[in-house]
Amino acid sequence: MPGNRAVAYQGPGIVELVDAGYPEFVLQDGPGVPPENAGRPVRHGAIVRPIATNICGSDQHMVRGRTTAPPGLVLGHEITGEVVEVGPDVEVVRIGDLVSVPFNIACGRCRNCKAGDTHICERVNPQQPGGAYGYVDMGGWPGGQAEYVLTPYADWNLLRFPDRERAMEKILDLAMLADIFPTGYHGCVTAGVTTGSTVYIAGAGPVGLAAAVSAQLLGAAVVIVGDLNEQRLAQARGFGCETADVSTGDPADLVEAILGVPEVDCAVDAVGFEAHGHGADAGSERPASVLNALMETTRAGGRLGIPGLYVTGDPGAGEEAARHGSLSIRFGLGWAKAHSFFTGQCPVMRYHRRLMEAILNDRVRIADAVNATVLPLEEARRGYEEFDRGAARKYVLDPHGLIPS
């Protein structure tokens, strides 16, 4: 039986390559596994050999020590790979299939899953609705920044690529289907982006860039991306976005300089709880700054898509209230402007098949847009360090050296 090297969080700022043990068709007890989930049979699961497994900004929150993640947690929820074993209850998925693994773990049986809300499955996590691989408070399922990973409810969760050779040619694009492409798209859909929309996207990290691409796919007339990082803004300009360097001033003023009016039709928060201020406050953390700016910048009656991560526990917050997820949001402003707010994780399965077809039929080059950069598993620490310093890249780990050069 092969070993299983994996990237594990070991404390603030520390990730290490460890031997996690080859997966079995049972959820073993381990870091972050709720007692009710330990020993849970997974006869309906598949073991996947990751071809591409990405580093996400959500992983970075944990590695910075900004969540209650336990040391030893194997990271990684953006998984694309080959099925190498299937459990005895699997009927559809076959050994050898190339698949995208949604970061949401969903049973397909509960009330929420049947309604399409796979991001808040009621059965995979005894602590709260919703499960994910390698993430704090998400059921304890080991992550996929590893050589092998167990994926439960395989027939329901896994998206099979129809042609292996064609899929390998576009594997870096398809690797974005596990999370950031559907997440950015979800942010735009919930914000109401459509033909002719003017859109402001806060954040030019990988999710923000994916949202910008998605806004273009949905027919937006103008897509404005705001960030503090000039390299990331340059990446957005590279595929036709307008940009706003919010270190220089208020987003509404910067939007007005582009559009002639200080408001957009709709907006997307792709930053989340580690937001910084704008203009003179750009050097300090202001966890509510993006949400407040989006309310100021979005027209009355507009919608705000909020796929950016917000947490209930942030031990590294500078404000006591923010340590418990309480932010100084100007909700009265949003109420007065009759805004609609859409929050929570993206239900990946709602979108990933259609976005796969867009990739396979050359409608979008999402890997180029987010500057996908491949590293071997052994260099995961480097990827985390460079990403933490603001690199304008989406790091993709290649555990088995299978991604074509």
Side-chain angles (χ1 to χ4, degrees):
M1 182 175 293
N4 184 24
R5 296 179 305 160
V7 179
Y9 168 70
Q10 301 291 18
I14 305 171
V15 293
E16 292 182 353
L17 205 57
V18 302
D19 182 3
Y22 189 80
E24 301 177 18
F25 290 104
V26 60
L27 179 53
Q28 305 282 1
D29 194 10
V33 179
E36 304 93 323
N37 253 8
R40 178 174 179 164
V42 190
R43 294 168 55 87
H44 43 65
I47 295 173
V48 171
R49 178 176 68 161
I51 292 173
T53 176
N54 310 340
I55 295 174
C56 181
S58 298
D59 298 322
Q60 198 73 62
H61 292 309
M62 289 187 291
V63 172
R64 289 186 185 124
R66 298 299 297 270
T67 73
T68 55
L73 180 69
V74 173
L75 300 169
H77 56 269
E78 299 189 17
I79 307 160
T80 309
E82 179 184 16
V83 174
V84 294
E85 288 190 51
V86 296
D89 291 348
V90 173
E91 298 179 349
V92 178
V93 170
R94 294 287 181 262
I95 292 172
D97 284 349
L98 289 189
V99 296
S100 177
V101 183
F103 80 88
N104 319 117
I105 300 175
C107 72
R109 297 155 166 79
C110 72
R111 174 180 178 176
N112 287 340
C113 283
K114 289 184 177 181
D117 294 326
T118 54
H119 57 308
I120 44 174
C121 174
E122 296 176 328
R123 299 191 67 246
V124 297
N125 181 4
Q127 295 179 319
Q128 63 189 41
Y133 301 91
Y135 208 79
V136 58
D137 296 332
M138 288 284 107
W141 300 91
Q145 289 176 15
E147 292 175 312
Y148 299 93
V149 62
L150 173 66
T151 61
Y153 300 102
D155 284 336
W156 169 250
N157 284 303
L158 303 186
L159 174 66
R160 179 181 175 275
F161 301 141
D163 182 279
R164 184 185 184 93
E165 182 176 349
R166 193 175 174 201
M168 287 303 297
E169 291 173 356
K170 296 180 178 291
I171 196 66
L172 281 181
D173 294 292
L174 295 170
M176 306 307 152
L177 291 174
D179 182 356
I180 67 163
F181 195 10
T183 293
Y185 193 84
H186 178 65
C188 289
V189 168
T190 55
V193 178
T194 187
T195 305
S197 296
T198 57
V199 188
Y200 179 74
I201 295 170
V207 171
L209 295 172
V213 169
S214 299
Q216 293 173 337
L217 274 176
L218 289 163
V222 182
V223 180
I224 304 170
V225 180
D227 203 289
L228 303 164
N229 182 319
E230 172 53 32
Q231 286 185 319
R232 290 181 169 182
L233 291 174
Q235 188 69 25
R237 288 193 294 272
F239 57 92
C241 299
E242 300 286 344
T243 58
D245 182 350
V246 295
S247 70
T248 66
D250 185 80
D253 294 334
L254 299 171
V255 165
E256 185 172 21
I258 295 168
L259 297 178
V261 293
E263 291 184 328
V264 291
D265 295 322
C266 40
V268 177
D269 174 3
V271 177
F273 74 105
E274 286 194 66
H276 282 63
H278 305 124
D281 293 328
S284 58
E285 194 167 296
R286 298 284 191 272
S289 66
V290 167
L291 291 173
N292 289 332
L294 293 193
M295 286 186 275
E296 292 175 357
T297 309
T298 304
R299 66 172 178 82
R303 291 160 58 173
L304 279 63
I306 309 173
L309 177 68
Y310 289 87
V311 296
T312 56
D314 175 9
E319 305 171 6
E320 180 59 32
R323 295 184 184 186
H324 309 285
S326 297
L327 308 181
S328 299
I329 298 171
R330 294 184 62 195
F331 190 73
L333 175 61
W335 189 93
K337 296 178 78 171
H339 284 155
S340 298
F341 299 80
F342 296 85
T343 67
Q345 296 178 5
C346 165
V348 170
M349 293 175 69
R350 193 177 297 174
Y351 308 106
H352 66 173
R353 185 174 298 276
R354 284 178 287 166
L355 295 177
M356 174 188 74
E357 293 295 347
I359 290 169
L360 293 177
N361 288 286
D362 298 317
R363 290 298 309 277
V364 63
R365 297 177 64 88
I366 184 67
D368 287 347
V370 300
N371 196 13
T373 302
V374 179
L375 294 176
L377 197 65
E378 296 83 359
E379 294 188 34
R381 179 182 296 180
R382 169 191 157 196
Y384 275 98
E385 291 173 350
E386 292 183 2
F387 192 33
D388 192 50
R389 292 196 294 268
R393 298 176 181 274
K394 175 67 174 177
Y395 287 101
V396 179
L397 301 179
D398 181 1
H400 300 278
L402 297 175
I403 297 177
S405 58

PDB file of all heavy atoms in Angstrom, residues 11 18 36 72 74 80 84-85 92 108 126 160 179 187 220 244 249 251 269 292 296 307 327 386 404:
ATOM      1  N   GLY A  11       0.516  25.157  13.116  1.00  0.00           N
ATOM      2  CA  GLY A  11       0.513  26.327  13.978  1.00  0.00           C
ATOM      3  C   GLY A  11       0.677  27.570  13.135  1.00  0.00           C
ATOM      4  O   GLY A  11       1.011  27.487  11.945  1.00  0.00           O
ATOM      5  N   VAL A  18       3.809  15.919   5.896  1.00  0.00           N
ATOM      6  CA  VAL A  18       3.751  14.832   6.869  1.00  0.00           C
ATOM      7  C   VAL A  18       3.284  13.564   6.178  1.00  0.00           C
ATOM      8  O   VAL A  18       2.764  13.583   5.065  1.00  0.00           O
ATOM      9  CB  VAL A  18       2.798  15.176   8.033  1.00  0.00           C
ATOM     10  CG1 VAL A  18       3.227  16.463   8.726  1.00  0.00           C
ATOM     11  CG2 VAL A  18       1.339  15.287   7.560  1.00  0.00           C
ATOM     12  N   GLU A  36     -18.485  12.614  16.991  1.00  0.00           N
ATOM     13  CA  GLU A  36     -19.602  11.921  16.330  1.00  0.00           C
ATOM     14  C   GLU A  36     -19.236  11.450  14.922  1.00  0.00           C
ATOM     15  O   GLU A  36     -19.908  10.577  14.360  1.00  0.00           O
ATOM     16  CB  GLU A  36     -20.823  12.842  16.241  1.00  0.00           C
ATOM     17  CG  GLU A  36     -21.296  13.407  17.554  1.00  0.00           C
ATOM     18  CD  GLU A  36     -20.686  14.765  17.868  1.00  0.00           C
ATOM     19  OE1 GLU A  36     -19.492  14.990  17.553  1.00  0.00           O
ATOM     20  OE2 GLU A  36     -21.421  15.605  18.423  1.00  0.00           O
ATOM     21  N   GLY A  72      -1.990  19.978  12.973  1.00  0.00           N
ATOM     22  CA  GLY A  72      -2.069  18.634  12.421  1.00  0.00           C
ATOM     23  C   GLY A  72      -3.132  18.461  11.359  1.00  0.00           C
ATOM     24  O   GLY A  72      -3.184  17.415  10.702  1.00  0.00           O
ATOM     25  N   VAL A  74      -4.743  18.314   7.981  1.00  0.00           N
ATOM     26  CA  VAL A  74      -4.294  18.227   6.591  1.00  0.00           C
ATOM     27  C   VAL A  74      -5.131  19.184   5.760  1.00  0.00           C
ATOM     28  O   VAL A  74      -6.362  19.153   5.787  1.00  0.00           O
ATOM     29  CB  VAL A  74      -4.402  16.795   6.056  1.00  0.00           C
ATOM     30  CG1 VAL A  74      -4.096  16.751   4.554  1.00  0.00           C
ATOM     31  CG2 VAL A  74      -3.439  15.882   6.799  1.00  0.00           C
ATOM     32  N   THR A  80      -8.586  18.088  -7.825  1.00  0.00           N
ATOM     33  CA  THR A  80      -8.888  17.546  -9.141  1.00  0.00           C
ATOM     34  C   THR A  80      -8.003  16.330  -9.330  1.00  0.00           C
ATOM     35  O   THR A  80      -6.786  16.418  -9.116  1.00  0.00           O
ATOM     36  CB  THR A  80      -8.579  18.575 -10.246  1.00  0.00           C
ATOM     37  OG1 THR A  80      -9.218  19.813  -9.918  1.00  0.00           O
ATOM     38  CG2 THR A  80      -9.042  18.091 -11.603  1.00  0.00           C
ATOM     39  N   VAL A  84      -8.872   6.145  -7.878  1.00  0.00           N
ATOM     40  CA  VAL A  84      -8.032   4.943  -7.851  1.00  0.00           C
ATOM     41  C   VAL A  84      -8.676   3.790  -7.079  1.00  0.00           C
ATOM     42  O   VAL A  84      -8.264   2.641  -7.240  1.00  0.00           O
ATOM     43  CB  VAL A  84      -6.633   5.253  -7.272  1.00  0.00           C
ATOM     44  CG1 VAL A  84      -5.862   6.188  -8.184  1.00  0.00           C
ATOM     45  CG2 VAL A  84      -6.715   5.835  -5.867  1.00  0.00           C
ATOM     46  N   GLU A  85      -9.681   4.077  -6.247  1.00  0.00           N
ATOM     47  CA  GLU A  85     -10.434   3.037  -5.559  1.00  0.00           C
ATOM     48  C   GLU A  85     -11.850   3.538  -5.336  1.00  0.00           C
ATOM     49  O   GLU A  85     -12.070   4.741  -5.173  1.00  0.00           O
ATOM     50  CB  GLU A  85      -9.826   2.693  -4.188  1.00  0.00           C
ATOM     51  CG  GLU A  85      -8.524   1.933  -4.209  1.00  0.00           C
ATOM     52  CD  GLU A  85      -8.138   1.436  -2.826  1.00  0.00           C
ATOM     53  OE1 GLU A  85      -8.996   0.798  -2.158  1.00  0.00           O
ATOM     54  OE2 GLU A  85      -7.011   1.710  -2.397  1.00  0.00           O
ATOM     55  N   VAL A  92     -21.720   4.479  -9.804  1.00  0.00           N
ATOM     56  CA  VAL A  92     -21.542   5.205 -11.064  1.00  0.00           C
ATOM     57  C   VAL A  92     -20.078   5.521 -11.339  1.00  0.00           C
ATOM     58  O   VAL A  92     -19.576   5.284 -12.441  1.00  0.00           O
ATOM     59  CB  VAL A  92     -22.378   6.500 -11.058  1.00  0.00           C
ATOM     60  CG1 VAL A  92     -22.163   7.290 -12.355  1.00  0.00           C
ATOM     61  CG2 VAL A  92     -23.857   6.173 -10.866  1.00  0.00           C
ATOM     62  N   GLY A 108     -26.293  14.489  -0.584  1.00  0.00           N
ATOM     63  CA  GLY A 108     -27.254  14.278  -1.652  1.00  0.00           C
ATOM     64  C   GLY A 108     -28.591  13.748  -1.184  1.00  0.00           C
ATOM     65  O   GLY A 108     -29.490  13.530  -2.011  1.00  0.00           O
ATOM     66  N   PRO A 126     -21.495  17.038  12.071  1.00  0.00           N
ATOM     67  CA  PRO A 126     -22.389  17.089  13.234  1.00  0.00           C
ATOM     68  C   PRO A 126     -22.352  18.400  13.995  1.00  0.00           C
ATOM     69  O   PRO A 126     -23.215  18.648  14.842  1.00  0.00           O
ATOM     70  CB  PRO A 126     -21.889  15.933  14.111  1.00  0.00           C
ATOM     71  CG  PRO A 126     -20.480  15.713  13.698  1.00  0.00           C
ATOM     72  CD  PRO A 126     -20.419  16.051  12.247  1.00  0.00           C
ATOM     73  N   ARG A 160     -17.361  14.056 -13.254  1.00  0.00           N
ATOM     74  CA  ARG A 160     -16.489  13.307 -14.150  1.00  0.00           C
ATOM     75  C   ARG A 160     -16.253  14.100 -15.432  1.00  0.00           C
ATOM     76  O   ARG A 160     -17.183  14.625 -16.041  1.00  0.00           O
ATOM     77  CB  ARG A 160     -17.136  11.956 -14.498  1.00  0.00           C
ATOM     78  CG  ARG A 160     -16.321  11.100 -15.445  1.00  0.00           C
ATOM     79  CD  ARG A 160     -17.045   9.791 -15.760  1.00  0.00           C
ATOM     80  NE  ARG A 160     -16.317   9.021 -16.755  1.00  0.00           N
ATOM     81  CZ  ARG A 160     -16.439   9.188 -18.073  1.00  0.00           C
ATOM     82  NH1 ARG A 160     -17.277  10.096 -18.560  1.00  0.00           N
ATOM     83  NH2 ARG A 160     -15.739   8.443 -18.910  1.00  0.00           N
ATOM     84  N   ASP A 179     -13.444  25.078  -6.681  1.00  0.00           N
ATOM     85  CA  ASP A 179     -13.792  26.165  -5.761  1.00  0.00           C
ATOM     86  C   ASP A 179     -13.851  27.508  -6.466  1.00  0.00           C
ATOM     87  O   ASP A 179     -14.921  28.061  -6.677  1.00  0.00           O
ATOM     88  CB  ASP A 179     -12.791  26.210  -4.603  1.00  0.00           C
ATOM     89  CG  ASP A 179     -13.095  27.289  -3.571  1.00  0.00           C
ATOM     90  OD1 ASP A 179     -14.040  28.077  -3.777  1.00  0.00           O
ATOM     91  OD2 ASP A 179     -12.388  27.353  -2.552  1.00  0.00           O
ATOM     92  N   GLY A 187     -20.750  34.532  -6.736  1.00  0.00           N
ATOM     93  CA  GLY A 187     -20.778  35.907  -6.265  1.00  0.00           C
ATOM     94  C   GLY A 187     -21.446  36.829  -7.263  1.00  0.00           C
ATOM     95  O   GLY A 187     -22.230  37.709  -6.891  1.00  0.00           O
ATOM     96  N   ALA A 220     -21.482  41.526 -18.386  1.00  0.00           N
ATOM     97  CA  ALA A 220     -21.319  42.854 -17.795  1.00  0.00           C
ATOM     98  C   ALA A 220     -20.712  43.829 -18.801  1.00  0.00           C
ATOM     99  O   ALA A 220     -19.845  43.471 -19.594  1.00  0.00           O
ATOM    100  CB  ALA A 220     -20.438  42.767 -16.550  1.00  0.00           C
ATOM    101  N   ALA A 244      -9.195  49.754  -9.702  1.00  0.00           N
ATOM    102  CA  ALA A 244      -9.210  50.846  -8.735  1.00  0.00           C
ATOM    103  C   ALA A 244      -8.213  50.520  -7.636  1.00  0.00           C
ATOM    104  O   ALA A 244      -8.392  49.526  -6.909  1.00  0.00           O
ATOM    105  CB  ALA A 244     -10.611  51.025  -8.157  1.00  0.00           C
ATOM    106  N   GLY A 249      -7.541  56.007  -2.327  1.00  0.00           N
ATOM    107  CA  GLY A 249      -8.752  56.751  -2.022  1.00  0.00           C
ATOM    108  C   GLY A 249      -9.962  55.869  -1.843  1.00  0.00           C
ATOM    109  O   GLY A 249      -9.864  54.631  -1.822  1.00  0.00           O
ATOM    110  N   PRO A 251     -13.385  53.900  -2.633  1.00  0.00           N
ATOM    111  CA  PRO A 251     -13.853  53.208  -3.839  1.00  0.00           C
ATOM    112  C   PRO A 251     -14.898  53.973  -4.631  1.00  0.00           C
ATOM    113  O   PRO A 251     -14.873  53.963  -5.871  1.00  0.00           O
ATOM    114  CB  PRO A 251     -14.415  51.895  -3.281  1.00  0.00           C
ATOM    115  CG  PRO A 251     -13.631  51.645  -2.042  1.00  0.00           C
ATOM    116  CD  PRO A 251     -13.393  52.999  -1.461  1.00  0.00           C
ATOM    117  N   ASP A 269     -18.054  41.024  -2.904  1.00  0.00           N
ATOM    118  CA  ASP A 269     -17.001  41.043  -1.884  1.00  0.00           C
ATOM    119  C   ASP A 269     -16.195  39.761  -1.996  1.00  0.00           C
ATOM    120  O   ASP A 269     -16.655  38.690  -1.595  1.00  0.00           O
ATOM    121  CB  ASP A 269     -17.622  41.168  -0.491  1.00  0.00           C
ATOM    122  CG  ASP A 269     -16.603  41.044   0.641  1.00  0.00           C
ATOM    123  OD1 ASP A 269     -15.399  40.923   0.363  1.00  0.00           O
ATOM    124  OD2 ASP A 269     -17.024  41.060   1.816  1.00  0.00           O
ATOM    125  N   ASN A 292     -18.911  47.886   4.047  1.00  0.00           N
ATOM    126  CA  ASN A 292     -19.415  49.249   4.112  1.00  0.00           C
ATOM    127  C   ASN A 292     -19.181  49.991   2.803  1.00  0.00           C
ATOM    128  O   ASN A 292     -20.043  50.743   2.326  1.00  0.00           O
ATOM    129  CB  ASN A 292     -18.766  49.995   5.278  1.00  0.00           C
ATOM    130  CG  ASN A 292     -19.265  49.502   6.627  1.00  0.00           C
ATOM    131  OD1 ASN A 292     -20.394  49.019   6.739  1.00  0.00           O
ATOM    132  ND2 ASN A 292     -18.434  49.609   7.644  1.00  0.00           N
ATOM    133  N   GLU A 296     -21.934  51.709   0.067  1.00  0.00           N
ATOM    134  CA  GLU A 296     -21.827  53.084  -0.425  1.00  0.00           C
ATOM    135  C   GLU A 296     -21.773  53.130  -1.949  1.00  0.00           C
ATOM    136  O   GLU A 296     -22.298  54.058  -2.576  1.00  0.00           O
ATOM    137  CB  GLU A 296     -20.573  53.738   0.149  1.00  0.00           C
ATOM    138  CG  GLU A 296     -20.622  53.979   1.648  1.00  0.00           C
ATOM    139  CD  GLU A 296     -19.307  54.523   2.187  1.00  0.00           C
ATOM    140  OE1 GLU A 296     -18.352  54.648   1.386  1.00  0.00           O
ATOM    141  OE2 GLU A 296     -19.237  54.800   3.392  1.00  0.00           O
ATOM    142  N   PRO A 307     -19.153  36.227  -1.426  1.00  0.00           N
ATOM    143  CA  PRO A 307     -18.479  34.939  -1.258  1.00  0.00           C
ATOM    144  C   PRO A 307     -17.225  35.023  -0.409  1.00  0.00           C
ATOM    145  O   PRO A 307     -16.662  34.001  -0.023  1.00  0.00           O
ATOM    146  CB  PRO A 307     -18.147  34.535  -2.694  1.00  0.00           C
ATOM    147  CG  PRO A 307     -17.939  35.838  -3.395  1.00  0.00           C
ATOM    148  CD  PRO A 307     -18.924  36.795  -2.762  1.00  0.00           C
ATOM    149  N   LEU A 327     -18.941  42.620  13.465  1.00  0.00           N
ATOM    150  CA  LEU A 327     -18.298  43.694  12.729  1.00  0.00           C
ATOM    151  C   LEU A 327     -19.159  44.956  12.776  1.00  0.00           C
ATOM    152  O   LEU A 327     -20.379  44.887  12.905  1.00  0.00           O
ATOM    153  CB  LEU A 327     -18.074  43.286  11.266  1.00  0.00           C
ATOM    154  CG  LEU A 327     -17.363  41.953  11.019  1.00  0.00           C
ATOM    155  CD1 LEU A 327     -17.196  41.720   9.533  1.00  0.00           C
ATOM    156  CD2 LEU A 327     -16.025  41.909  11.727  1.00  0.00           C
ATOM    157  N   GLU A 386       4.737  32.798  -0.448  1.00  0.00           N
ATOM    158  CA  GLU A 386       4.637  33.793  -1.512  1.00  0.00           C
ATOM    159  C   GLU A 386       3.214  34.329  -1.627  1.00  0.00           C
ATOM    160  O   GLU A 386       3.006  35.532  -1.851  1.00  0.00           O
ATOM    161  CB  GLU A 386       5.101  33.184  -2.830  1.00  0.00           C
ATOM    162  CG  GLU A 386       6.597  32.869  -2.848  1.00  0.00           C
ATOM    163  CD  GLU A 386       7.071  32.323  -4.178  1.00  0.00           C
ATOM    164  OE1 GLU A 386       6.245  32.222  -5.121  1.00  0.00           O
ATOM    165  OE2 GLU A 386       8.274  31.993  -4.294  1.00  0.00           O
ATOM    166  N   PRO A 404       0.888  18.525 -17.305  1.00  0.00           N
ATOM    167  CA  PRO A 404       1.781  18.777 -18.460  1.00  0.00           C
ATOM    168  C   PRO A 404       2.454  20.125 -18.336  1.00  0.00           C
ATOM    169  O   PRO A 404       1.862  21.104 -17.891  1.00  0.00           O
ATOM    170  CB  PRO A 404       0.811  18.745 -19.656  1.00  0.00           C
ATOM    171  CG  PRO A 404      -0.403  18.020 -19.177  1.00  0.00           C
ATOM    172  CD  PRO A 404      -0.512  18.314 -17.717  1.00  0.00           C
TER     173      PRO A 404
END
